Amino acid sequence: MRSMFTTSLPVELIREIVEIAVLSDTSTGPGLALVSKLVHHWVIPILYEYVSLDKRETIISFIQGVEAAQCGPNDPSKYITHLSIHRYAMTHCDWTLSICRDVQHLLICPLFRSPFDADDPAVDEISLWPQPRHIMVLNAPSQWLNPRRILFENTTHLYIDNIYSPSHLELCSTMPLSHICFGFWTDSDTTDALLEAIELLLAMPSMKIVLVHSLMSGAPYEFHGESWKLLAQITDNRLRVATGMSRDELIDLFESGQTVWDNIEGCADWRQAVQLPGL
């Protein structure tokens, strides 16, 4: 690398080459970060912009590394804008949030039916938490969400699995939401709760988009549930349906730096799509 700096190449071009190398293959990043202080300064923001944690060992190592580096001149935590916490890493979720204060896109996704932290978060941890604008939260019971309300104080874009419980709806009503996405099973048992939830959400003055998708894979019109027929009768154009988009696909979008809101073209025409024989 020293020879690169003795050539006539502009520093800006060298930086662009380094950044492309890291973006093309993130495994090269840690090695490049050790070349020099200048290269370290270029590489660290790229390596830490998108952080995904899914194992207990991974999250402990991550926390220890970030806390050790926070005392240095290039604190990596300030570059973390997208944070995903899955699976067994949820056991240290509160601790992680307290050192990632600038996160704007947060995904909390445990294993299905896996236990959450039983204890409420400590007051000194809460005061350090970020307040992300975009949050995707999956399989989260009310007893976990309610003590962590501060996370949602500035949330404008929310994805949440279950919107039918009164506590979840009440929590949503306290946020400055403009966009919300949620999934549901297309069966008659959920129809009344679904329509009530949509009515309450559309009544929020700040609401611009209510995006609904099926918790099954495939396009909604493949399921001939009564729910879709009733949804098609709602004339408010703020209601959209994410046709053919499964929850796993939504998670992949989020972790790639996109959002569900970047991929809703055509959702306004879903009413025509569901008007099929047999519905």
Side-chain angles (χ1 to χ4, degrees):
M1 180 61 71
R2 180 175 299 175
S3 62
M4 290 178 62
F5 286 101
T6 60
T7 68
S8 58
L9 287 175
V11 174
E12 293 80 8
L13 180 56
I14 298 174
R15 177 173 185 170
E16 185 174 348
I17 293 171
V18 170
E19 290 178 346
I20 291 174
V22 177
L23 289 170
S24 301
D25 182 4
T26 54
S27 64
T28 65
L32 284 173
L34 300 175
V35 168
S36 70
K37 289 183 179 180
L38 181 58
V39 176
H40 183 276
H41 181 74
W42 296 341
V43 169
I44 292 300
I46 300 174
L47 288 179
Y48 281 88
E49 183 178 4
Y50 300 95
V51 173
S52 181
L53 306 166
D54 63 357
K55 296 179 181 178
R56 186 177 293 106
E57 298 78 12
T58 303
I59 200 169
I60 292 175
S61 176
F62 166 78
I63 292 171
Q64 292 173 341
V66 170
E67 287 186 334
Q70 282 179 325
C71 302
N74 201 20
D75 176 6
S77 67
K78 66 184 180 183
Y79 302 118
I80 303 171
T81 59
H82 291 68
L83 175 64
S84 302
I85 306 176
H86 310 240
R87 302 179 180 179
Y88 303 107
M90 286 299 301
T91 56
H92 297 288
C93 179
D94 293 341
W95 187 10
T96 307
L97 291 171
S98 68
I99 65 171
C100 299
R101 307 174 192 178
D102 296 305
V103 169
Q104 291 300 312
H105 300 258
L106 175 66
L107 167 61
I108 298 173
C109 178
L111 284 172
F112 186 63
R113 299 186 184 278
S114 65
F116 281 80
D117 289 334
D119 299 331
D120 288 348
V123 174
D124 57 342
E125 284 183 337
I126 291 178
S127 64
L128 300 175
W129 279 1
Q131 294 181 346
R133 293 181 298 107
H134 290 223
I135 295 183
M136 176 180 276
V137 56
L138 310 175
N139 305 330
S142 301
Q143 60 267 31
W144 188 90
L145 285 173
N146 287 334
R148 294 162 175 82
R149 284 172 174 259
I150 191 171
L151 275 175
F152 302 93
E153 287 190 356
N154 290 327
T155 301
T156 58
H157 294 65
L158 175 70
Y159 174 100
I160 187 167
D161 262 358
N162 179 6
I163 200 66
Y164 310 130
S165 71
S167 58
H168 285 173
L169 280 171
E170 192 272 331
L171 177 62
C172 290
S173 69
T174 65
M175 305 179 204
L177 286 177
S178 60
H179 295 68
I180 186 168
C181 176
F182 62 93
F184 74 103
W185 298 105
T186 55
D187 57 51
S188 57
D189 293 339
T190 62
T191 299
D192 290 342
L194 169 68
L195 295 178
E196 181 181 356
I198 289 175
E199 181 180 349
L200 291 171
L201 293 168
L202 289 174
M204 294 173 61
S206 60
M207 191 63 70
K208 295 180 179 178
I209 297 291
V210 175
L211 183 63
V212 183
H213 79 95
S214 171
L215 286 175
M216 298 180 182
S217 60
Y221 49 80
E222 292 175 2
F223 310 110
H224 304 300
E226 189 69 16
S227 301
W228 293 115
K229 184 176 180 180
L230 294 175
L231 282 177
Q233 298 173 8
I234 298 177
T235 58
D236 195 319
N237 284 329
R238 291 177 297 166
L239 177 65
R240 309 285 183 89
V241 171
T243 55
M245 193 180 298
S246 68
R247 190 180 76 170
D248 288 344
E249 290 171 323
L250 293 174
I251 295 172
D252 289 341
L253 284 175
F254 190 96
E255 293 209 306
S256 66
Q258 303 179 67
T259 72
V260 295
W261 321 111
D262 299 324
N263 294 270
I264 59 173
E265 293 83 357
C267 291
D269 300 325
W270 64 274
R271 291 181 180 84
Q272 286 72 40
V274 299
Q275 301 298 334
L276 295 177
L279 189 66

